[in-house]
């Protein structure tokens, strides 16, 4: 049995509360989000939780995509600007308020900033075209598929590949 923690606004805006949802038959379930006007999907099994962005502490000498670290319920979590990793800019100049915690390289939890979290959707395997269908125009190994629906396409993203292996070595560990 697999569960994902979805955070929703609490009553009368008194903070966020966690609602853990058991996801039966998760193979075709994806979390949809928007980044720089593009729609992306990540397998729900890669998602740990969705949280309001806490204060970020910068890490001196970190890679450009590593914005810093956050203390999330006594866990040190690196925060990555997914737009920098993908070579896109944020949709707005406003500060992001949403962070998706995912399993990054080597199973390290990583917070990625997104413009907007949309929904958890069912996408059958037959509705996902391989990126290799783009031939030489395929943009690297972080995009693993293109999901088709009635309104257009969404890119299926391998977040661990997108944020890269530098995340683990860029974050200090506790002694």
């Amino acid at each position: 049995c697999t569960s994902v923690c979805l955070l929703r606004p609490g009553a009368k805006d008194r903070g966020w509360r966690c609602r853990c949802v058991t996801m039966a038959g998760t193979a075709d379930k994806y979390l949809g989000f928007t980044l720089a006007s593009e729609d992306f999907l990540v397998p729900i099994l890669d998602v740990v939780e969705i949280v309001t962005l806490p204060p970020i502490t910068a890490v001196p000498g970190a890679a450009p995509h590593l914005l810093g670290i956050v203390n999330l319920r006594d866990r040190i979590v690196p925060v990555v600007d997914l737009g920098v990793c993908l070579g896109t800019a944020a949709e707005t100049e406003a500060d992001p308020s949403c962070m998706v915690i995912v399993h990054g390289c080597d199973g390290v939890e990583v917070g990625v900033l997104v413009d907007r979290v949309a929904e958890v959707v069912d996408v059958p395997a037959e509705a996902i075209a391989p990126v290799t269908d783009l031939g030489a125009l395929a943009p690297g190994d972080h995009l693993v598929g293109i999901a088709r629906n009635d309104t257009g396409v969404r890119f299926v993203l391998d977040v661990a590949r997108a944020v890269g292996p530098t995340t683990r070595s860029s974050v200090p560990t506790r002694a």
Side-chain angles (χ1 to χ4, degrees):
C1 148
T2 302
S3 65
V4 63
C5 184
L6 302 174
L7 294 177
R8 299 282 188 232
K12 298 182 184 173
D13 293 329
R14 288 184 293 207
W16 290 70
R17 58 185 160 75
C18 183
R19 179 174 62 95
C20 290
V21 178
T22 300
M23 306 294 285
T26 56
D28 292 341
K29 293 195 182 302
Y30 293 83
L31 177 70
F33 65 87
T34 302
L35 179 67
S37 300
E38 296 294 335
D39 292 327
F40 292 93
L41 297 171
V42 293
I44 198 68
L45 293 176
D46 291 348
V47 177
V48 177
E49 60 185 313
I50 302 164
V51 299
T52 302
L53 184 62
I56 298 174
T57 302
V59 176
H65 67 283
L66 180 62
L67 298 175
I69 56 175
V70 296
N71 182 359
L72 189 64
R73 293 181 299 282
D74 291 328
R75 297 185 338 251
I76 301 299
V77 177
V79 179
V80 172
D81 186 337
L82 190 56
V84 171
C85 297
L86 299 177
T88 63
E91 183 175 279
T92 65
E93 295 295 321
D95 289 333
S97 62
C98 186
M99 180 171 64
V100 179
I101 308 294
V102 297
H103 297 290
C105 272
D106 300 324
V108 173
E109 290 182 3
V110 177
V112 294
L113 301 184
V114 299
D115 292 335
R116 185 178 64 85
V117 172
E119 61 195 345
V120 175
V121 295
D122 289 315
V123 181
E126 58 273 7
I128 300 176
V131 176
T132 54
D133 287 357
L134 297 175
L137 300 175
D141 62 353
H142 58 276
L143 294 180
V144 294
I146 302 170
R148 302 174 298 265
N149 62 21
D150 294 337
T151 60
V153 298
R154 292 179 173 178
F155 297 104
V156 180
L157 182 65
D158 183 327
V159 176
R161 289 181 188 168
V163 299
T166 60
T167 304
R168 170 170 242 154
S169 62
S170 300
V171 177
T173 58
R174 291 190 205 187

